[in-house]
């Protein structure tokens, strides 16, 4: 791989850029959040300035089979055109003669967006002939789709076998921030893990236990850990099958000298609803018919203090059901503490990222990752196929 996109000579070349334009849209096909498109702008602008012909490719949603108007990338082409101040050519497909003819007509600086890759089942199968056909459109492959790097698909992995390949700026930035945090964090290094499911984050917790000084566990995950310590958690989220895992984590923490912090108080209610009356209570006194839906104010204070003093903070997963204002205070407190922290602050995970955006604190973070699943797998210490593929040409 050309170590770096800036080392490749791209003038007049056709550059295939895998981006992540898997953006949310409303009923009338209006894009409701352009963050992912904006995140690809540095790479797109750079390539245009250098006189490349920029061919963009992405997936959008989960099409069943073939073209579906509501999963067309055309709205993304329009949004991108507005952001870069020049029309973006929308191709009717990502492969085929008509698309190839459009590419042939491109001039240096032109930007073309291929239609949704997943209109072809071969994309997700990492079909070799399909990867080769995508590659035939270009002279160079740039992967800037960090959010899809944990998938071995034709456009994220297979294609790299047929073209010189390198990472785009967004991909590099993601790998640098997440990679440095894991391999050479300034200490104290604090991880804050929350969200709903223990199952989803086992790998992350295991890997981080070997790296952090303090592990803070909040959100719906925390109650499996509290239960493992012998507390009654009422009707709070509980993963019975993973009580042993939780016990093992607590034990390892003690052995490895990693401080593990759990909620000491909670916001409890009988239903997950804004209308349900709330009760602030100690984590030891959750009633049998109650659910803990947020960390309590004491816990928020305790967690925030640790976060503020850290030199590196990694946050994945909200502290409560933050979608409902009545249970958002804990999550907002953690977001504010990261914003106050003068060390490196990294937010990974779709919902945590959304919480930070909603609090208006995104630009106070060192880095907000654009890749939910990909950042989780990275934090688990797994190799990402989309990244591995870039290295195979070395
Ligand atoms: P991320 O996308 O940041 O990785 P997750 O997807 O793992 O986060 O978890 C987010 C979900 O966890 C949110 O929908 C939130 O409502 C839920 N959640 C957080 N705390 C609790 C809780 N105490 N009980 C039930 N659900 C919770
Ligand atoms: Mg999520």
């Amino acid at each position: 791989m050309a170590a770096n996109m800036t080392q490749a000579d791209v003038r007049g070349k056709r550059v295939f850029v895998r981006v992540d334009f898997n953006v949310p849209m409303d009923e009338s096909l209006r894009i409701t959040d352009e963050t992912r498109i904006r995140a690809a702008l540095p790479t797109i602008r750079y390539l245009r300035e250098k006189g490349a012909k920029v061919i963009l490719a992405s997936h959008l949603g989960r099409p069943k089979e073939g073209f579906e108007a509501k999963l067309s990338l055309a709205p993304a082409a329009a949004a991108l055109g507005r952001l870069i101040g020049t029309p973006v050519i929308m191709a009717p497909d990502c492969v085929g003669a008509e698309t190839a003819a459009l590419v042939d007509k491109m001039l240096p600086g032109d930007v073309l967006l291929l239609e949704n890759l997943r209109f072809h089942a071969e994309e997700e199968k990492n079909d070799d002939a399909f990867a080769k056909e995508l590659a035939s459109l270009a002279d160079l492959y740039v992967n800037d789709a960090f959010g899809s790097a944990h998938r071995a698909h034709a456009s994220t992995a297979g294609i790299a076998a047929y073209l010189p390949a390198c990472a785009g700026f967004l991909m590099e930035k993601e790998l640098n921030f997440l990679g440095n945090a894991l391999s050479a964090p300034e200490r104290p290094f604090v991880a804050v893990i929350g969200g709903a499911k223990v199952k989803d984050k086992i790998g992350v917790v295991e890997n981080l236990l070997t790296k952090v000084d303090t592990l803070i566990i909040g959100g719906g995950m925390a109650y499996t850990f509290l239960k493992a310590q012998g507390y009654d958690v009422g009707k709070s989220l509980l993963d019975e099958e993973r009580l042993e895992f939780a016990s093992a984590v607590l034990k390892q923490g003690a052995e490895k000298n990693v401080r593990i912090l759990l909620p000491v108080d909670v916001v409890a209610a009988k239903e997950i609803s804004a209308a349900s009356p709330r009760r602030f209570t100690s984590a030891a006194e959750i009633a049998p018919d109650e659910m803990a839906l947020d960390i309590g104010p004491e816990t928020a204070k305790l967690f925030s203090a640790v976060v503020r003093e850290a030199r590196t903070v990694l946050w994945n997963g909200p502290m409560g059901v933050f979608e409902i204002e009545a249970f958002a205070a804990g999550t907002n407190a953690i977001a504010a503490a990261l914003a106050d922290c003068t060390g490196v602050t990294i937010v990974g995970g779709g919902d945590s990222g959304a919480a930070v955006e909603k609090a208006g604190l995104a630009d106070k973070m060192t880095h907000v990752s654009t890749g939910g699943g990909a950042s989780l797998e990275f934090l688990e210490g797994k190799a990402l196929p989309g990244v591995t593929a870039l290295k195979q040409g070395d």
Side-chain angles (χ1 to χ4, degrees):
M1 141 172 105
N4 189 302
M5 189 170 60
T6 57
Q7 285 164 337
D9 175 20
V10 299
R11 190 162 301 278
K13 300 266 173 66
R14 300 167 301 163
V15 183
F16 185 108
V17 189
R18 176 56 160 97
V19 290
D20 180 4
F21 283 0
N22 185 29
V23 288
M25 288 186 201
D26 64 15
E27 299 284 284
S28 54
L29 302 185
R30 265 213 336 250
I31 297 173
T32 52
D33 181 356
E34 291 182 345
T35 308
R36 287 179 172 163
I37 298 178
R38 289 176 191 276
L41 290 178
T43 294
I44 296 169
R45 289 198 171 117
Y46 170 82
L47 289 171
R48 290 193 68 217
E49 269 165 32
K50 294 289 170 189
K53 302 170 185 175
V54 185
I55 303 163
L56 303 172
S58 177
H59 74 281
L60 175 63
R62 304 192 166 279
K64 287 194 189 68
E65 216 196 321
F67 182 86
E68 279 175 55
K70 66 176 198 313
L71 291 177
S72 167
L73 279 166
L80 175 63
R82 190 165 34 70
L83 290 169
I84 60 175
T86 194
V88 170
I89 308 159
M90 185 65 212
D93 198 352
C94 59
V95 287
E98 209 179 322
T99 298
L102 281 175
V103 170
D104 275 344
K105 279 192 278 196
M106 285 175 80
L107 299 172
D110 278 354
V111 181
L112 175 144
L113 177 60
L114 298 176
E115 187 52 283
N116 194 344
L117 292 156
R118 289 196 188 163
F119 288 161
H120 294 263
E122 294 92 331
E123 160 67 359
E124 288 185 80
K125 290 183 191 144
N126 197 8
D127 179 83
D128 193 50
F130 182 72
K132 205 170 171 176
E133 194 174 352
L134 291 175
S136 73
L137 295 171
D139 307 300
L140 176 73
Y141 170 66
V142 172
N143 191 350
D144 214 19
F146 176 74
S148 304
H150 57 315
R151 309 267 183 240
H153 294 168
S155 70
T156 61
I159 186 172
Y162 296 105
L163 288 173
C166 63
F169 292 143
L170 173 63
M171 177 73 94
E172 265 193 350
K173 185 171 139 199
E174 293 271 9
L175 296 175
N176 282 341
F177 279 123
L178 294 171
N180 287 343
L182 291 187
S183 64
E186 216 187 302
R187 295 184 181 276
F189 179 15
V190 176
V192 185
I193 305 296
K197 293 186 189 150
V198 180
K199 173 168 84 69
D200 292 351
K201 306 215 172 155
I202 283 188
V204 175
V205 168
E206 280 178 334
N207 193 34
L208 289 177
L209 257 187
T210 67
K211 319 222 178 257
V212 299
D213 300 296
T214 304
L215 179 63
I216 293 178
I217 302 177
M221 294 193 66
Y223 306 99
T224 300
F225 287 83
L226 285 173
K227 177 84 181 181
Q229 285 190 323
Y231 289 93
D232 285 324
V233 296
K235 292 201 300 182
S236 306
L237 272 189
L238 179 64
D239 186 340
E240 301 262 8
E241 285 170 37
R242 291 178 180 80
L243 283 168
E244 258 170 59
F245 166 78
S247 299
V249 166
L250 295 169
K251 187 159 157 258
Q252 273 178 49
E255 285 165 7
K256 293 195 166 96
N257 235 345
V258 173
R259 183 166 54 148
I260 299 181
L261 299 179
L262 292 166
V264 294
D265 64 339
V266 302
V267 183
K270 290 188 180 150
E271 272 160 64
I272 304 185
S273 140
S276 184
R278 297 180 298 168
R279 192 172 77 91
F280 293 80
T281 181
S282 143
E285 285 160 21
I286 303 170
D289 60 347
E290 283 180 328
M291 288 177 265
L293 297 176
D294 193 8
I295 56 173
E298 282 306 315
T299 307
K301 221 184 276 172
L302 174 79
F303 288 2
S304 299
V306 173
V307 165
R308 265 191 244 107
E309 296 302 308
R311 297 309 303 157
T312 307
V313 189
L314 196 81
W315 180 24
N316 179 288
M319 296 291 100
V321 183
F322 75 105
E323 296 91 336
I324 300 174
E325 207 48 48
F327 309 112
T331 300
N332 289 338
I334 295 298
L338 262 87
D340 282 346
C341 173
T342 56
V344 173
T345 51
I346 298 170
V347 183
D351 290 294
S352 336
V356 165
E357 285 283 347
K358 203 170 141 199
L361 296 172
D363 57 5
K364 294 259 165 60
M365 307 296 159
T366 309
H367 182 62
V368 181
S369 178
T370 55
S375 69
L376 270 189
E377 292 200 16
F378 193 90
L379 297 178
E380 285 173 32
K382 286 191 192 156
L384 304 178
V387 177
T388 311
L390 296 179
K391 292 180 183 145
Q392 267 153 9
D394 279 3

